[in-house]
Amino acid sequence: MSRERFEILYRCLHFVDNTAHLNSQDKLYKVRPLIDLLVNNFQSVYKPGSKLVVDESMVPFRGRLGIKQYIPGKAHKYGMKVYKACTPEGYTWNLEVHVGKGDNTAGLNSTESRVVNLCNEMLGKGCTIYSDNYYTSVILAEYLLVKKTYICGTVRPGRKYLCKEVVKAKLKKGEMKAAENRQGVKLYKWKDKRDVLTLSTVPEHGNGLLPSGKKNRKGEEIIKPESVIEYNKAKKGVDVADQLSSYYSPLRKSRKWYRKLALEMIAGISVTNAQILFIKYCSAKQVGVRAFTESVVLSLTKNIHEEITRSGKRTSDISGARKEHTLQEADGQKKNTRKRCRGCYEKISQSEGYKVATNKARRVSTFCNECDGQPHLCIPCFNEKHDA
């Protein structure tokens, strides 16, 4: 596909009829059908296990937008904030785009309600939710216990209803202090390089220190509370999802926020989810992001290519792209694979003679794989020869 054709199609990319939503109060009405469709598919094709991770990620955008957020700790500081519920492997099971304060669950604030909304389908099934100190609180932990759901995560020392004796305890490196309330919410304070406060309702998490499987510089085994060990193993879920989708990001500079959000969900989150499921159920070895993305594109365009081949038309007649002619690099060292560019040689020989062309013609190591004789061509001559 030519660049001009791609830009025309990209300019016309919409996901809803704007005239039917002129008076809509939904700030995401331009992409709401797409979000609902993808979330339903994410949840229908895969059921998470006993662990879910709740965190937020950013879709970069610096234009004028009412829902734009600023998070200084993220790689992209400005953009649209997306709350995610992921598995520890990085599969995005549910998501919600931040549009402001919504309806809170009774007795919970906005951040606590966000956790409940994201994991609502898993409540009552004995699932454990892992969250950072932005979400974790005693009130949320007690609410989830009533719903037969556990929580484990770091907690801020200024949260309400924390045991002050544990929060204010002065510990030496490697020491731990813990407390538990009547509802079964356990608070741990462990001293590493700095104080680490964790909150847990998981019954298996005890008061002892366990080997973490890592050693310090002296070769000694590092011991940590079980809640910290489990949290470190599971918390990477959202970070893994963001990392995989960032390797070959489809995002480009645009003034239209909904295009960026839609492309991130289609070519970022969806492809990452598909890759995780493919590796887990269909492949015995790891598959790279680029290789998997290319295989998805080829599988989606295979029928189109076969239809063009049967009709006898060039691909450029339909999509603006060349059919199969590609410029390839010859194998081996360049000093051994360089030859005269046939296009340059022909043009110079017509005007100045073949003797001059022999010396002036550009020497390249690239050739066309489909032309007769696989002639060596430079990029300008290749484009002139195959111009539709």
Side-chain angles (χ1 to χ4, degrees):
M1 181 184 295
S2 66
R3 183 190 66 184
E4 288 77 8
R5 179 175 175 81
F6 173 80
E7 289 179 349
I8 291 173
L9 294 175
Y10 185 65
R11 193 180 304 125
C12 300
L13 187 63
H14 285 270
F15 304 93
V16 71
D17 183 6
N18 291 341
T19 59
H21 297 81
L22 292 177
N23 298 321
S24 177
Q25 300 298 319
D26 186 6
K27 295 180 181 180
L28 297 174
Y29 77 90
K30 283 182 174 289
V31 289
R32 179 61 68 186
L34 176 67
I35 294 174
D36 294 340
L37 175 64
L38 291 178
V39 171
N40 289 334
N41 288 342
F42 294 162
Q43 297 182 4
S44 63
V45 300
Y46 181 72
K47 297 298 181 184
S50 59
K51 297 180 180 179
L52 272 180
V53 187
V54 174
D55 204 351
E56 70 276 348
S57 61
M58 295 287 282
V59 179
F61 186 76
R62 283 183 172 265
R64 298 181 63 180
L65 182 62
I67 62 174
K68 186 174 67 175
Q69 295 286 301
Y70 171 71
I71 303 180
K74 295 292 184 180
H76 301 288
K77 296 177 175 58
Y78 294 91
M80 293 163 280
K81 183 162 65 172
V82 181
Y83 300 100
K84 293 181 179 180
C86 299
T87 65
E89 296 83 13
Y91 183 89
T92 303
W93 186 74
N94 196 6
L95 59 87
E96 185 178 335
V97 182
H98 176 82
V99 293
K101 292 185 178 180
D103 296 333
N104 295 341
T105 305
L108 303 179
N109 61 26
S110 59
T111 56
E112 295 163 351
S113 300
R114 197 78 66 176
V115 176
V116 174
N117 294 336
L118 287 171
C119 306
N120 189 46
E121 296 295 327
M122 299 301 295
L123 299 183
K125 299 180 180 180
C127 176
T128 302
I129 299 173
Y130 294 86
S131 60
D132 60 18
N133 57 23
Y134 181 72
Y135 305 95
T136 311
S137 68
V138 176
I139 298 175
L140 176 62
E142 293 177 350
Y143 178 88
L144 293 176
L145 272 178
V146 175
K147 300 292 183 179
K148 298 180 181 179
T149 305
Y150 307 113
I151 189 171
C152 177
T154 56
V155 62
R156 295 177 181 177
R159 294 287 191 186
K160 291 182 178 180
Y161 311 116
L162 295 179
C163 179
K164 295 183 179 180
E165 183 181 350
V166 174
V167 173
K168 296 182 179 181
K170 294 183 180 180
L171 306 175
K172 296 180 181 180
K173 186 174 181 180
E175 293 182 343
M176 185 187 74
K177 191 175 182 63
E180 181 178 357
N181 66 9
R182 296 179 180 179
Q183 285 73 26
V185 180
K186 290 170 280 190
L187 176 66
Y188 301 93
K189 185 174 184 179
W190 173 63
K191 180 74 172 183
D192 191 26
K193 292 182 179 179
R194 59 182 63 88
D195 292 334
V196 179
L197 271 176
T198 55
L199 198 73
S200 176
T201 57
V202 180
E204 291 79 11
H205 291 175
N207 298 334
L209 297 172
L210 301 177
S212 61
K214 298 181 180 180
K215 295 183 179 180
N216 57 20
R217 295 180 180 180
K218 298 180 181 179
E220 300 172 347
E221 187 78 23
I222 299 176
I223 55 175
K224 300 179 181 180
E226 189 173 1
S227 60
V228 175
I229 295 174
E230 292 297 321
Y231 174 75
N232 288 337
K233 289 180 180 179
K235 70 171 184 178
K236 61 183 181 180
V238 176
D239 296 332
V240 169
D242 292 343
Q243 181 182 8
L244 292 175
S245 63
S246 67
Y247 284 146
Y248 300 95
S249 175
L251 301 181
R252 296 296 179 267
K253 187 176 181 179
S254 175
R255 295 183 179 180
K256 303 296 184 182
W257 63 270
Y258 60 87
R259 290 179 191 164
K260 275 202 167 184
L261 183 59
L263 282 179
E264 174 62 24
M265 297 191 65
I266 296 173
I269 299 175
S270 299
V271 173
T272 299
N273 283 355
Q275 180 188 1
I276 291 171
L277 294 183
F278 178 78
I279 294 174
K280 187 172 184 178
Y281 295 109
C282 305
S283 177
K285 60 180 181 179
Q286 290 290 327
V287 180
V289 177
R290 180 176 178 178
F292 180 80
T293 305
E294 288 178 349
S295 66
V296 171
V297 173
L298 292 174
S299 65
L300 293 174
T301 58
K302 181 179 179 181
N303 294 333
I304 298 175
H305 177 74
E306 291 177 349
E307 183 65 28
I308 293 170
T309 305
R310 286 196 298 268
S311 65
K313 296 181 180 180
R314 289 185 58 181
T315 310
S316 58
D317 298 336
I318 297 176
S319 63
R322 301 181 183 91
K323 186 179 179 182
E324 294 178 353
H325 294 263
T326 56
L327 198 62
Q328 295 185 358
E329 188 85 17
D331 295 332
Q333 296 183 354
K334 288 190 176 182
K335 65 179 182 179
N336 299 327
T337 59
R338 283 198 181 102
K339 294 184 180 180
R340 295 185 187 92
C341 170
R342 180 178 293 184
C344 295
Y345 181 85
E346 291 175 352
K347 286 186 289 186
I348 297 173
S349 61
Q350 289 175 2
S351 59
E352 303 181 40
Y354 71 91
K355 291 185 178 180
V356 178
T358 302
N359 296 325
K360 280 191 175 183
R362 186 180 301 174
R363 294 177 179 271
V364 294
S365 58
T366 52
F367 66 94
C368 180
N369 66 327
E370 287 297 323
C371 290
D372 294 336
Q374 295 185 342
H376 278 60
L377 296 168
C378 62
I379 295 176
C381 293
F382 176 84
N383 292 334
E384 290 178 8
K385 185 176 180 63
H386 300 88
D387 190 19

